[in-house]
Amino acid sequence: MKIVKASTLAPALASSLAIMAAPALALEAPVAAKRAWQETRHGEVVTDDYYWLREKSTPAVIDYLKAENAYTESMTANIKPLADKVFAEMKGRMLEAEQSAPLRSKGYYYYSRIEAGQQYRSNYRRRAGADNAYDPKAPEELLLDRNKLAKGKKFFAVEGFAVSPDSRLLAYTSDTTGFRQYQLHIKDLKTGKLLSTTMPRITSLAWASDNKTLFVVQEDATTKRSDRLFRLPLGGKPTQLLHEADELYNIGVETSSDGKYLLLGAHSTDTNETRLLPADQPKGEFKVLLPREKGHRYFADMRDGQAYLMTNKEAKNFRIVSAPLATPQPQHWTEVVAHDKDVLLQGFSLYQGFLVVQEKSRALPRTRIYDFAARNWKTVQFPDQVYAAATLGSAPGSVPADFDARELVLNYESPVAPPTLLGIDMSSGQRREIWRKVVPGYEAGKYETRMLWATARDGVQVPLWTLAKKGVARDGKAPLLLYAYGSYGMGMNATFSARNLSLVDRGAVYVMAYIRGGNELGEAWHDDGMLMKKKNTFTDFIDVADYLVKEKWTSPDRLIAEGGSAGGLLMGAVTNMRPELFRGVHAAVPFVDVMNTMMDASLPLTTGEYLEWGNPNEKPAYDYMRSYSPYDNIERKAYPAMLVTTGLNDSQVMYWEPAKYVAKLRAHKTDKQPLLLKVNMGAGHGGASGRYDALHEQAFQRAWMLSLWGITE
């Protein structure tokens, strides 16, 4: 969604900002000046008084954002003691010094550790013992000291992380702005020195078997579309091998599970294609496995000369087939996992002796294991009503698990159970606990979680789950935070979140709704919340809120809504549609200026999202999107209290979307409820990168919610 492009707007914008400072300590709300801007779209003359806020390099824009921050700080000065208290609670629920579970890969055990007072985890490894067991006495190797790398920087994040096949070199990518533009670095793990080989804007990478050649994908500097594949010899110059010309597609490179092939995937919202290159032939050519076919989504992996494909051909919720690599066409397919209209096949992992499939049924995950030798299936069972479980196919830092592993590592958690790593013997099905996250002071028995189903206006059943302290009265008086996302077919999970305990411990109920647009009930659930059915996402959220009020979980004056990114679009839409239903709304990095963004193909991610939202260059799609775009549907009426948060360096939803939204909303709203914009001037889409900095942001947001509920302690 979203980047600023060079603009031809007049540079003299100093007069565009009018801020009225009150003589008292409390500031008055900033007033962004209106500057005429027009564009004709499908015969409609569109005006945008705040278009000038896109000019990030203009001092007046930065001054305006700083003024909004100053106003927010002034308006929330009274909750600072509460925010400090919540921060202390959150900090108290984590081990300040913590080490992850060591997991084996190619003769080493990899893990991460963070020390008290540090903002970031660092990566380590130890050589495996003679019996391949973890040896705590083996010398420890520091792979990546993230705190040292982050020193003096407002933001720091590592994305790519790949150790060479001979375990000597580490290729990783890092971002120091929050804009998610990652620079490639290669470290010699024996000497500790960085090699001279580097490249900017790398989004994925994979090693060839020779330990001297990397294959990397680079994104476009303006559109941020991952569109170019390079062969990069260490110490040499990169050679471009492929340019993906279709603007609807992104590409990515990875290594097959057996390590024998490099896989180059091209993907759009509704179509995929895979190309293969033997990993021991770095100077070879990537060959298409199955050519792209509109509407065919498939994902490939390799084992024993066979291609395994998770495909949606004649299988809406996907199935798995296998075929010889030499003849992968559909007529040669052998079905391995059949399609099930009631079960979504989310992914699969291949091992030498086993196939692991991750599924979702009625909004709950399920893991099944196939033993190639015994030719039987085992299902990993969990008794809980609400939970999340996912295979951990890689050691910390994206180091791949051994292909010959016989133990599956599974991460299990629930809203009342902190994360636990389980080792599942794939032959016997026996399990062991590898690691459990320690949450100081936490007593699981004090809380309860439930799965519920709300009936939407068209009769569809929408799943949701609740987290509350035991004994909370169902009398309509409980404070309640309702969260949802509902886009891109990205299903939400019932995970553990220590940050919400500061709300729940004070009597609030936390609810997550699985509204249409995600994939919690299969691919059709996504289809019914995208393109010309997108409004189902918004009405589902409203219907869930009405259900919670009707069932006396809460009442409108005690109900706060929260969503981020595409979930921020949800917040803007439902606030326009039913403002009286909510006491407050937190819209995080919200995609609210839908039409201006989607009409500008030069912005990051825009064209690739035509298949999710619609192509506004087509009149029917334009009219439909225009009818729900939050920025375009602000009216003169009362709105709930709102906190809008963003980052100046956001690459997914540009800062100017929430900034413009707040400016316009403030000029139209007829109520006196607070409208606050809080901009992190040194971060991007995910907010602060350091763990303590992130806790401060979360504590402020939770304290703001508590204050709306009248909770001050």
Side-chain angles (χ1 to χ4, degrees):
M1 292 163 239
K2 341 311 168 191
I3 191 178
V4 177
K5 73 168 182 177
S7 172
T8 56
L9 290 180
L13 292 176
S15 62
S16 296
L17 180 65
I19 302 173
M20 301 168 61
L25 290 178
L27 299 179
E28 291 192 17
V31 178
K34 299 179 179 180
R35 294 182 60 85
W37 180 90
Q38 286 188 346
E39 184 173 275
T40 301
R41 301 169 181 167
H42 298 290
E44 177 189 15
V45 178
V46 177
T47 62
D48 187 353
D49 294 333
Y50 306 105
Y51 195 88
W52 65 272
L53 282 171
R54 292 165 55 115
E55 285 301 292
K56 183 179 180 180
S57 61
T58 304
V61 171
I62 300 302
D63 287 346
Y64 173 74
L65 298 178
K66 289 181 177 178
E68 286 284 4
N69 276 345
Y71 174 68
T72 295
E73 184 175 2
S74 172
M75 291 292 290
T76 58
N78 62 318
I79 70 170
K80 188 177 185 308
L82 179 57
D84 290 342
K85 185 174 183 179
V86 172
F87 171 81
E89 292 171 2
M90 291 180 174
K91 183 180 175 183
R93 293 190 196 102
M94 69 182 192
L95 292 179
E96 291 202 75
E98 184 181 57
Q99 180 170 304
S100 70
L103 298 179
R104 182 165 59 89
S105 178
K106 297 179 180 177
Y108 286 88
Y109 278 85
Y110 290 83
Y111 54 95
S112 64
R113 187 169 66 242
I114 193 167
E115 305 291 352
Q118 290 182 342
Q119 292 273 23
Y120 303 94
R121 287 182 169 271
S122 290
N123 298 90
Y124 303 85
R125 73 179 180 184
R126 282 190 167 99
R127 190 177 291 276
D131 57 354
N132 269 336
Y134 177 67
D135 180 4
K137 296 181 180 179
E140 181 179 75
E141 296 181 48
L142 173 61
L143 306 182
L144 211 56
D145 187 341
R146 302 191 188 200
N147 292 285
K148 183 177 179 180
L149 293 172
K151 190 173 182 179
K153 300 177 177 66
K154 292 183 179 180
F155 184 94
F156 181 77
V158 171
E159 180 67 10
F161 188 103
V163 176
S164 60
D166 65 1
S167 302
R168 171 159 181 168
L169 300 172
L170 169 64
Y172 69 95
T173 61
S174 65
D175 170 30
T176 58
T177 67
F179 197 65
R180 296 188 179 179
Q181 283 192 337
Y182 295 95
Q183 185 77 25
L184 172 69
H185 312 278
I186 302 173
K187 182 178 180 180
D188 186 321
L189 297 178
K190 187 173 183 180
T191 67
K193 295 181 179 179
L194 288 179
L195 306 188
S196 60
T197 303
T198 185
M199 279 186 71
R201 306 190 310 280
I202 299 303
T203 55
S204 64
L205 55 91
W207 286 96
S209 299
D210 66 357
N211 303 293
K212 298 184 294 186
T213 308
L214 270 173
F215 290 87
V216 297
V217 171
Q218 187 180 60
E219 69 178 16
D220 183 86
T222 301
T223 66
K224 287 188 69 66
R225 186 170 69 90
S226 299
D227 62 351
R228 296 177 191 273
L229 172 71
F230 292 86
R231 180 173 50 237
L232 179 61
L234 300 186
K237 294 183 178 180
T239 300
Q240 181 173 310
L241 303 181
L242 181 141
H243 173 232
E244 175 55 64
D246 193 325
E247 293 182 345
L248 297 178
Y249 287 79
N250 284 269
I251 62 174
V253 65
E254 61 181 338
T255 306
S256 63
S257 292
D258 62 8
K260 295 180 179 180
Y261 292 90
L262 301 175
L263 309 178
L264 179 68
H267 55 90
S268 70
T269 295
D270 65 1
T271 306
N272 293 70
E273 179 184 72
T274 298
R275 297 174 186 240
L276 301 179
L277 174 67
D280 61 358
Q281 299 175 25
K283 294 185 178 179
E285 179 183 354
F286 280 84
K287 301 290 181 62
V288 174
L289 181 65
L290 286 175
R292 66 187 66 175
E293 175 187 348
K294 179 67 173 176
H296 184 204
R297 298 172 62 199
Y298 74 92
F299 306 89
D301 205 351
M302 312 299 147
R303 172 187 173 273
D304 285 352
Q306 293 279 112
Y308 286 77
L309 308 175
M310 189 175 88
T311 171
N312 71 344
K313 186 176 284 291
E314 301 176 0
K316 181 68 175 178
N317 281 334
F318 292 93
R319 58 181 172 139
I320 295 178
V321 299
S322 66
L325 267 177
T327 55
Q329 296 78 20
Q331 60 267 33
H332 302 291
W333 288 358
T334 298
E335 189 160 81
V336 179
V337 178
H339 175 253
D340 187 332
K341 65 180 180 63
D342 297 320
V343 177
L344 174 65
L345 181 55
Q346 292 187 288
F348 72 102
S349 304
L350 274 176
Y351 296 86
Q352 182 62 58
F354 306 93
L355 166 68
V356 178
V357 296
Q358 194 72 40
E359 301 170 327
K360 185 171 285 188
S361 177
R362 287 187 62 78
L364 288 175
R366 183 173 72 187
T367 301
R368 294 196 297 140
I369 304 169
Y370 181 72
D371 187 325
F372 285 110
R375 297 186 179 183
N376 60 28
W377 285 94
K378 300 178 184 68
T379 301
V380 182
Q381 301 284 353
F382 295 104
D384 303 280
Q385 185 181 157
V386 183
Y387 65 90
T391 56
L392 191 66
S394 299
S398 299
V399 176
D402 285 337
F403 185 58
D404 63 357
R406 301 187 62 83
E407 182 178 70
L408 173 69
V409 180
L410 193 71
N411 183 80
Y412 173 82
E413 59 187 296
S414 81
V416 297
T420 301
L421 291 187
L422 299 174
I424 311 295
D425 185 298
M426 290 188 277
S427 292
S428 67
Q430 291 184 339
R431 67 180 74 186
R432 69 183 180 98
E433 183 176 301
I434 298 174
W435 173 87
R436 181 185 296 268
K437 185 174 184 64
V438 176
V439 181
Y442 176 67
E443 299 177 32
K446 294 168 55 178
Y447 308 92
E448 60 183 355
T449 185
R450 298 178 60 186
M451 177 71 85
L452 303 171
W453 297 80
T455 303
R457 62 195 64 188
D458 59 359
V460 169
Q461 294 291 296
V462 180
L464 59 142
W465 57 263
T466 67
L467 171 66
K469 285 185 72 174
K470 290 180 178 178
V472 170
R474 291 270 298 279
D475 57 5
K477 298 179 181 179
L480 188 144
L481 174 60
L482 175 59
Y483 175 90
Y485 184 73
S487 287
Y488 298 111
M490 291 178 58
M492 298 290 100
N493 293 302
T495 57
F496 181 82
S497 176
R499 69 178 182 174
N500 288 326
L501 294 178
S502 289
L503 303 182
V504 174
D505 283 346
R506 290 172 170 83
V509 179
Y510 178 85
V511 178
M512 180 178 288
Y514 294 156
I515 56 181
R516 278 174 280 188
N519 71 353
E520 292 88 354
L521 295 180
E523 286 296 311
W525 202 244
H526 178 208
D527 292 349
D528 286 345
M530 64 185 290
L531 297 173
M532 302 298 277
K533 296 181 179 180
K534 186 60 197 172
K535 289 182 183 178
N536 285 337
T537 302
F538 314 137
T539 55
D540 278 0
F541 189 87
I542 290 170
D543 293 343
V544 167
D546 281 333
Y547 164 83
L548 292 167
V549 171
K550 179 183 177 182
E551 295 297 316
K552 296 190 179 299
W553 283 92
T554 191
S555 56
D557 65 347
R558 307 290 278 166
L559 174 58
I560 295 177
E562 182 178 46
S565 195
L569 161 66
L570 170 69
M571 295 298 100
V574 301
T575 303
N576 282 337
M577 295 166 70
R578 288 285 302 278
E580 80 287 352
L581 187 55
F582 308 102
R583 173 67 182 93
V585 174
H586 174 214
V589 291
F591 174 39
V592 283
D593 193 7
V594 176
M595 303 316 299
N596 282 318
T597 290
M598 295 304 295
M599 290 295 295
D600 189 344
S602 71
L603 299 180
L605 313 181
T606 293
T607 54
E609 299 199 346
Y610 288 166
L611 298 176
E612 177 73 22
W613 311 107
N615 183 349
N617 297 299
E618 300 169 357
K619 184 68 161 57
Y622 175 87
D623 289 341
Y624 187 76
M625 296 163 70
R626 172 71 174 77
S627 70
Y628 68 72
S629 171
Y631 184 70
D632 297 283
N633 287 281
I634 291 172
E635 298 175 331
R636 288 199 59 78
K637 61 185 178 185
Y639 283 84
M642 295 192 70
L643 171 64
V644 181
T645 55
T646 187
L648 181 64
N649 298 326
D650 196 332
S651 61
Q652 310 302 109
V653 180
M654 299 301 295
Y655 75 90
W656 47 259
E657 291 204 37
K660 289 171 59 183
Y661 174 76
V662 167
K664 184 176 181 179
L665 184 59
R666 187 170 282 137
H668 283 76
K669 67 198 298 284
T670 59
D671 60 275
K672 295 185 179 180
Q673 296 291 341
L675 172 60
L676 306 177
L677 174 64
K678 188 173 179 62
V679 186
N680 187 322
M681 303 297 282
H685 198 60
S689 57
R691 64 167 173 169
Y692 295 112
D693 295 338
L695 279 184
H696 276 296
E697 288 186 342
Q698 295 162 10
F700 170 81
Q701 295 160 11
R702 271 33 190 172
W704 176 80
M705 295 174 185
L706 290 168
S707 71
L708 288 185
W709 290 322
I711 300 172
T712 59
E713 295 292 333

